Amino acid sequence: MSDLNTRGFPDDLLDARRELHEVHAELHAMQAGRPWSVEPSDGWDDSDSGRWSASVRPATEGWAAADVEAYRVLQDRARELSAFVITHTFWTSVPEAERADARSKLIHATRPAPAG
């Protein structure tokens, strides 16, 4: 299976994995544009605690309810797509010893090109 490319995967599997990449990108974008905590928090500052790994988090009112719901919907879709990809019948046609490599090739074959 070392010569496996996108032509070796079923279209529905390729489509699902591509969509999963897109959903993960949307989840990351939502996280990047929102407060660090979904829930309201007073935050903390233990930078002078003497610990080797101190952390500081500002107070936050958390995410808006609409953002929490939108994020949940994306997480649910990511779980659905992951389950579809993982349990696809195609994998039964791949010798067990080659499945990890084939799954990796699927991920790389469907990963979007870097923006730039």
Side-chain angles (χ1 to χ4, degrees), residues 82-116:
S82 294
F84 179 84
V85 168
I86 291 167
T87 63
H88 196 283
T89 57
F90 168 77
W91 301 118
T92 61
S93 71
V94 179
E96 190 172 339
E98 297 178 21
R99 284 186 195 151
D101 185 51
R103 288 179 192 276
S104 180
K105 287 181 180 180
L106 174 67
I107 291 169
H108 293 288
T110 56
R111 183 171 287 147

Side-chain angles (χ1 to χ4, degrees), residues 3-61:
D3 62 344
L4 185 65
N5 57 34
T6 58
R7 291 175 296 211
F9 294 108
D11 288 340
D12 62 339
L13 183 56
L14 288 166
D15 292 343
R17 193 61 185 95
R18 284 185 186 110
E19 185 180 349
L20 186 55
H21 283 298
E22 292 169 11
V23 170
H24 283 154
E26 289 179 55
L27 286 165
H28 288 284
M30 281 193 77
Q31 290 169 337
R34 305 292 181 292
W36 64 269
S37 177
V38 173
E39 303 287 328
S41 174
D42 293 335
W44 64 84
D45 181 350
D46 69 355
S47 58
D48 57 354
S49 68
R51 294 176 43 205
W52 66 272
S53 178
S55 68
V56 177
R57 294 287 186 265
T60 177
E61 293 181 13

Side-chain angles (χ1 to χ4, degrees), residues 16 19-20 23 72-82:
E19 185 180 349
L20 186 55
V23 170
R72 186 196 60 76
V73 168
L74 286 171
Q75 284 181 314
D76 289 347
R77 184 62 181 150
R79 277 189 287 276
E80 291 171 6
L81 290 165
S82 294

Side-chain angles (χ1 to χ4, degrees), residues 30 34 63-73:
M30 281 193 77
R34 305 292 181 292
W63 291 19
D67 290 340
V68 172
E69 177 60 17
Y71 195 82
R72 186 196 60 76
V73 168

